[in-house]
């Protein structure tokens, strides 16, 4: 039981490049979400999903896309990277939205 | 949407003292309030949570209280130890229909430092 696996751990992008952050969980959780963490701003919700085929926007969705084709996987796509997207990204999963969330190890993304 | 305010942003205590972190939320429909601890360079981990039908919950040295009328909840850590040093986040779960599908909004975080 690996929990929540997030890759890569570190990434440097040039402005305008696109990339996908991977997130997979093996706990059969319905609820998955992506957060970004910036100093002094806590964890801000980007997108979340309540099950395969169902996604919705969080607080800061602009510049990011998600899809949920399976229960296990919830990738986050950066369409055209900008320096403002430099942050630490966390994927999380939970049985339901109002139960304990298990976080991945995080991805430190730098956009230059 | 939901808005969660957390205070203080930094808290410094001596080992053995108590620490209290306070959060307020904006939407009275929020019904689940977890607290997460994040050690330096690590992922956040749940330490305690409380639901809206409960006023207080305790787990060893950690307790959480909820005041639904005032829309605030607090984390209390007693007999603090150096290993309690970390960033603590409160959060509030909001669901328009009262279901388990909704959004979890986090506070800005509190950096707790426990001096030996």
């Amino acid at each position: 039981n690996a929990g929540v696996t997030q890759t890569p751990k570190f990434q440097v992008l040039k402005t305008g490049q696109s990339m996908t952050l991977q997130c997979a969980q093996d706990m059969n959780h319905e609820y998955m979400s992506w957060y970004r963490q910036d100093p002094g701003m806590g964890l801000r919700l980007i997108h979340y999903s309540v099950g395969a085929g169902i996604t919705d926007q969080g607080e800061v969705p602009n510049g990011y896309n998600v899809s949920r084709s399976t229960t296990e996987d919830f990738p986050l796509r950066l369409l055209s990277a900008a320096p403002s997207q430099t942050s630490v990204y966390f994927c999380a999963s939970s049985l339901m939205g109002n139960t304990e969330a298990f976080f991945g190890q995080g991805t430190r993304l730098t956009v230059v | 949407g939901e808005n969660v305010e957390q205070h203080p942003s930094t808290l410094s205590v001596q080992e053995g003292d108590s620490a209290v972190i306070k959060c307020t939320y904006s939407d009275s429909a929020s019904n689940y309030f977890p607290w997460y601890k994040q050690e330096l360079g690590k992922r956040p981990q749940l330490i305690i949570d409380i639901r809206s039908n409960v006023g207080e919950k305790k787990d060893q040295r950690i307790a959480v209280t909820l005041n639904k009328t005032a829309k605030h909840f607090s984390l209390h850590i007693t007999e603090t130890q150096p290993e309690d040093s970390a960033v603590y986040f409160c959060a509030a779960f909001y669901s328009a229909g009262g279901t388990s599908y909704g959004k979890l909004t986090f506070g800005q975080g509190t950096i707790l430092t426990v001096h030996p």
Side-chain angles (χ1 to χ4, degrees):
Chain A
N1 190 335
V4 181
T5 303
Q6 194 179 329
T7 56
K9 194 168 184 179
F10 299 96
Q11 184 70 50
V12 178
L13 287 179
K14 293 183 178 179
T15 297
Q17 286 185 317
S18 62
M19 78 158 294
T20 299
L21 278 62
Q22 302 292 343
C23 178
Q25 52 91 10
D26 61 359
M27 297 175 281
N28 202 30
H29 285 169
E30 289 293 329
Y31 193 95
M32 295 186 74
S33 51
W34 276 101
Y35 293 89
R36 59 176 289 173
Q37 183 174 26
D38 302 292
M41 303 188 75
L43 293 151
R44 291 185 292 168
L45 182 65
I46 304 172
H47 287 285
Y48 68 102
S49 170
V50 300
I54 307 169
T55 64
D56 203 352
Q57 296 181 349
E59 300 171 68
V60 289
N62 293 339
Y64 308 95
N65 268 358
V66 293
S67 60
R68 183 98 179 267
S69 56
T70 66
T71 298
E72 294 78 20
D73 300 297
F74 190 45
L76 177 72
R77 297 182 187 85
L78 278 71
L79 309 172
S80 177
S84 60
Q85 294 179 303
T86 293
S87 187
V88 178
Y89 292 84
F90 284 100
C91 175
S93 78
S94 55
L95 193 60
M96 295 182 292
N98 57 354
T99 57
E100 178 178 5
F102 294 86
F103 285 81
Q105 65 180 2
T107 297
R108 184 173 293 276
L109 175 68
T110 302
V111 182
V112 298
Chain B
E2 177 62 280
N3 183 49
V4 178
E5 295 289 330
Q6 183 172 346
H7 299 281
S9 56
T10 61
L11 181 58
S12 182
V13 300
Q14 289 295 129
E15 182 176 1
D17 287 350
S18 294
V20 180
I21 302 170
K22 299 181 179 181
C23 289
T24 59
Y25 60 99
S26 59
D27 201 307
S28 56
S30 291
N31 57 20
Y32 173 64
F33 307 93
W35 286 88
Y36 286 83
K37 175 183 180 182
Q38 185 180 27
E39 296 176 351
L40 190 62
K42 301 287 181 65
R43 69 193 78 187
Q45 292 188 298
L46 181 75
I47 55 171
I48 196 167
D49 56 12
I50 192 167
R51 298 189 183 275
S52 57
N53 58 348
V54 175
E56 183 173 1
K57 185 176 179 180
K58 191 173 182 180
D59 183 4
Q60 299 183 338
R61 296 186 297 108
I62 295 172
V64 57
T65 58
L66 172 65
N67 183 327
K68 284 190 296 182
T69 303
K71 290 188 282 188
H72 67 69
F73 56 113
S74 300
L75 177 71
H76 304 254
I77 305 174
T78 59
E79 300 171 21
T80 54
Q81 301 164 3
E83 49 266 39
D84 293 329
S85 297
V87 181
Y88 291 81
F89 293 99
C90 64
F93 180 80
Y94 166 79
S95 172
T99 69
S100 61
Y101 299 125
K103 299 180 185 181
L104 188 65
T105 300
F106 283 81
Q108 297 84 353
T110 297
I111 302 172
L112 174 64
T113 304
V114 181
H115 299 282

